[in-house]
Amino acid sequence: VKVVVLTGGGGGAKLVAGFAAQLAGDELTAIVNTGDDFTHLGVAISPDLDSVMYILAGVLDPRGWGRANETFHCLASLRELGAESWFQLGDRDLAVHLLRTAALARGDRLTAITRQLCAAFGVSHRVLPMSDAPRPTWVHTPEGRLPFQRWYVEHRARPRVVAVEYEGDGGASAEVLAALDAADLVVLAPSNPYLSLGPILAVPGIRERIARHRVVAVSPLIAGEAVSGPLARMLHELGAASPDVAGLVAHYGDLVRTWVVDERDARAVGVAHVATDILLVDAAARNRLAAEILRL
Amino acid sequence: VKVVVLTGGGGGAKLVAGFAAQLAGDELTAIVNTGDDFTHLGVAISPDLDSVMYILAGVLDPRGWGRANETFHCLASLRELGAESWFQLGDRDLAVHLLRTAALARGDRLTAITRQLCAAFGVSHRVLPMSDAPRPTWVHTPEGRLPFQRWYVEHRARPRVVAVEYEGDGGASAEVLAALDAADLVVLAPSNPYLSLGPILAVPGIRERIARHRVVAVSPLIAGEAVSGPLARMLHELGAASPDVAGLVAHYGDLVRTWVVDERDARAVGVAHVATDILLVDAAARNRLAAEILRL
């Protein structure tokens, strides 16, 4: 079976790890949001790609981003020198950023770089950036637009969201298109629809290919609340039909065939769905959820 | 009194710190070799500039390079990922490299970047790169030429030196020329004449300005041996008149008015000299030597 999961970092990465526990390397492809990618102090950072790679490599910190047993001595030194220090640059994490930056400067594609990094980390499942071209996500606020990381990390996702913009016109890579063409099942991970999956679906070539498939979506809301992040508030701010699972269902419309939701949200879905425990508290929970989706 | 010291890292940096202990910020300028500068994993590294800056900031590690209380977690991660790890990239040190790299990418001059870094470290004396243009030093060996850091660090200075090449045609900055024009005393620090001071003297505009001054040179040899590094061997390999202080004296010729040497080498000098203790074992030793030179 060939499974493709569209994902951001965080909860989506956990579900990818759940699938990885039961699928062979060539059976699972994660197509990962790169709208959060940015260059910081000259260093190319791909937060969601790294979260997925780190969780599959078993080195993701339990906090949900960056590497376990991380230190921040470079960051402390940057802070002492008066440089920007709002982004948590870990010392071990920096190794990945430096290798990625140097490879991009050589002209390598992000897809190839990610493959090499994954190989170095012993990750056998496929991790693909949604595009090799920069496609930054901008968050429009009442005070103007902010690059995603500035809004999310530096401003702690506080400024009200007026609109989300997906910049860039780069298409999907040949690897992404081939993975979607070969897929038996496409899964939308429990990631933010505007900030994580929206950027992927906006890449030319991806949405229409997904629409040909049986698509299963795992809700990023539980009992109407986001497990983490500002989603519940954003559904309201961005004018969703309702700030709950029904709003998500309306947001994706026909694209999703089957919803996987928490039992407390089942009544609101109104379309084909499975109600189960979707809180990915640990490896057992994510493995069980992935297995349940594979049985659908 | 306006003192200009030409220096590499290591022993030269120690003498600069000795002068700094007795001169005001505007009385001391270090003109620093940047022939060792290189780009490693996309990061711009200036080893000698950093050694001088770090010793003046009081954060140089006692080993003579890099920062005190340093960790190497990024480097360990690079090594795990199969990347080149022969260069000792410290985590705190990386902060300086990242800031320098980002500023160079913005188009800032190395002189301005160094001034800002020094200010951030609370260094009040002037630290100037010998040139704002890249002027890499190449070490020619029987197997071909190597960039300085490859030869010195990766190959541990083992390959025989056939010749030393100073590449690049960039001139001295306005700041370097002004400092030399205003100098009351020019000091050649106890640095390698081929690898540290040679690159500085090869920068168009520097040698002829220095020749107008009273130049004092501190010998990098003690009892015929280099305090550290491959100098004694190189004097032989590069065909100096003799592999000792007399060879150094012949190497610089008329450029140096007064030599400061170890008592054991005094007989070999043959020109105006002061024999004293030049082993810079600690702050007291370097302060005493600098004071002695200022009294000349």
Side-chain angles (χ1 to χ4, degrees):
Chain A
V1 61
K2 301 276 194 188
V3 177
V4 172
V5 183
L6 272 59
T7 186
K14 291 181 188 174
L15 184 62
V16 171
F19 281 110
Q22 27 223 315
L23 295 172
D26 63 349
E27 291 183 317
L28 174 63
T29 301
I31 297 177
V32 183
N33 172 40
T34 56
D36 304 2
D37 290 17
F38 73 126
T39 298
H40 186 58
L41 299 169
V43 174
I45 300 176
S46 297
D48 288 356
L49 279 175
D50 286 352
S51 289
V52 173
M53 180 170 73
Y54 288 165
I55 200 170
L56 293 179
V59 303
L60 185 73
D61 191 272
R63 80 174 94 78
W65 55 265
R67 294 187 57 172
N69 304 313
E70 185 60 291
T71 53
F72 295 89
H73 298 145
C74 180
L75 183 71
S77 181
L78 285 168
R79 191 176 289 124
E80 284 165 15
L81 294 172
E84 290 193 298
S85 58
W86 56 270
F87 190 80
Q88 298 292 306
L89 268 182
D91 296 324
R92 289 168 182 79
D93 206 20
L94 250 176
V96 167
H97 305 327
L98 291 179
L99 291 177
R100 179 187 291 119
T101 305
L104 286 171
R106 279 196 303 269
D108 291 358
R109 291 189 308 136
L110 186 57
T111 298
I113 296 166
T114 304
R115 185 171 55 227
Q116 286 158 10
L117 287 170
C118 281
F121 272 107
V123 171
S124 59
H125 299 87
R126 278 193 301 177
V127 180
L128 300 178
M130 65 186 198
S131 177
D132 283 318
R135 293 188 54 96
T137 299
W138 292 85
V139 178
H140 289 251
T141 76
E143 285 76 41
R145 73 174 193 171
L146 292 166
F148 174 80
Q149 293 292 342
R150 292 266 174 197
W151 175 78
Y152 189 67
V153 180
E154 188 180 20
H155 295 282
R156 301 185 188 185
R158 283 177 185 147
R160 185 160 64 82
V161 181
V162 174
V164 176
E165 175 192 356
Y166 310 129
E167 195 188 349
D169 49 15
S173 67
E175 290 85 347
V176 161
L177 297 178
L180 288 174
D181 285 340
D184 299 307
L185 172 66
V186 172
V187 178
L188 303 189
S191 299
N192 188 300
Y194 303 107
L195 300 174
S196 296
L197 301 189
I200 304 177
L201 295 172
V203 178
I206 291 187
R207 191 183 183 104
E208 61 262 35
R209 269 187 180 71
I210 287 174
R212 295 175 201 156
H213 286 282
R214 175 175 157 187
V215 175
V216 174
V218 179
S219 171
L221 295 177
I222 294 186
E225 293 293 329
V227 177
S228 71
L231 174 57
R233 198 193 89 205
M234 286 183 70
L235 284 164
H236 180 71
E237 290 172 352
L238 292 172
S242 57
D244 55 13
V245 169
L248 291 174
V249 170
H251 175 78
Y252 287 111
D254 289 344
L255 191 71
V256 175
R257 170 118 34 120
T258 308
W259 278 90
V260 178
V261 301
D262 184 82
E263 289 168 4
R264 287 159 284 181
D265 296 313
R267 273 194 312 148
V269 180
V271 296
H273 66 273
V274 175
T276 185
D277 182 4
I278 60 172
L279 185 61
L280 306 178
V281 287
D282 56 20
R286 67 199 192 207
N287 294 352
R288 189 202 48 74
L289 181 60
E292 202 168 331
I293 293 169
L294 289 174
R295 279 195 302 273
L296 283 181
Chain B
V1 60
K2 302 277 193 187
V3 177
V4 172
V5 183
L6 272 58
T7 186
K14 292 181 187 174
L15 184 62
V16 171
F19 281 111
Q22 27 223 315
L23 294 171
D26 63 349
E27 291 183 318
L28 174 65
T29 301
I31 298 177
V32 183
N33 172 40
T34 57
D36 303 2
D37 290 17
F38 74 126
T39 299
H40 187 58
L41 299 168
V43 174
I45 300 176
S46 297
D48 288 355
L49 279 175
D50 286 351
S51 290
V52 173
M53 181 170 72
Y54 288 164
I55 200 169
L56 293 179
V59 302
L60 185 74
D61 191 272
R63 80 175 92 78
W65 55 266
R67 293 186 59 172
N69 304 312
E70 185 60 290
T71 54
F72 295 88
H73 298 145
C74 181
L75 182 71
S77 181
L78 285 167
R79 191 176 289 124
E80 283 165 17
L81 294 172
E84 290 192 299
S85 58
W86 55 270
F87 190 80
Q88 299 291 308
L89 269 182
D91 296 323
R92 290 168 181 80
D93 205 19
L94 251 175
V96 166
H97 304 327
L98 292 178
L99 291 177
R100 179 187 293 119
T101 305
L104 287 170
R106 279 197 304 269
D108 291 358
R109 292 191 304 138
L110 186 57
T111 299
I113 297 165
T114 305
R115 184 171 55 226
Q116 286 158 11
L117 286 169
C118 281
F121 272 107
V123 170
S124 59
H125 299 88
R126 279 193 299 178
V127 180
L128 300 177
M130 66 187 198
S131 177
D132 284 318
R135 294 188 54 98
T137 298
W138 293 86
V139 178
H140 288 250
T141 76
E143 284 75 41
R145 72 174 193 171
L146 291 167
F148 174 80
Q149 293 292 341
R150 293 265 173 196
W151 175 78
Y152 188 67
V153 180
E154 189 180 20
H155 295 280
R156 300 183 189 187
R158 283 176 185 147
R160 186 160 63 83
V161 181
V162 174
V164 175
E165 175 191 355
Y166 311 129
E167 194 189 349
D169 50 14
S173 66
E175 290 86 346
V176 161
L177 297 180
L180 288 174
D181 285 340
D184 298 308
L185 171 67
V186 172
V187 177
L188 303 189
S191 299
N192 188 299
Y194 303 107
L195 300 174
S196 297
L197 301 189
I200 304 177
L201 294 172
V203 178
I206 290 187
R207 192 183 183 106
E208 61 262 35
R209 269 186 181 73
I210 288 175
R212 294 175 202 155
H213 287 281
R214 177 175 156 185
V215 175
V216 174
V218 178
S219 171
L221 295 177
I222 294 186
E225 293 294 328
V227 176
S228 70
L231 174 57
R233 198 194 88 202
M234 286 183 69
L235 284 163
H236 179 72
E237 290 172 352
L238 291 171
S242 57
D244 55 12
V245 169
L248 292 174
V249 170
H251 176 78
Y252 288 111
D254 288 344
L255 192 70
V256 175
R257 170 114 39 116
T258 308
W259 278 90
V260 177
V261 300
D262 183 84
E263 289 168 2
R264 286 159 284 181
D265 296 313
R267 271 194 314 147
V269 182
V271 297
H273 66 273
V274 174
T276 184
D277 181 4
I278 61 170
L279 184 61
L280 306 178
V281 286
D282 56 19
R286 67 201 192 206
N287 294 352
R288 188 202 48 73
L289 180 60
E292 201 168 331
I293 294 170
L294 288 173
R295 278 196 303 271
L296 284 180

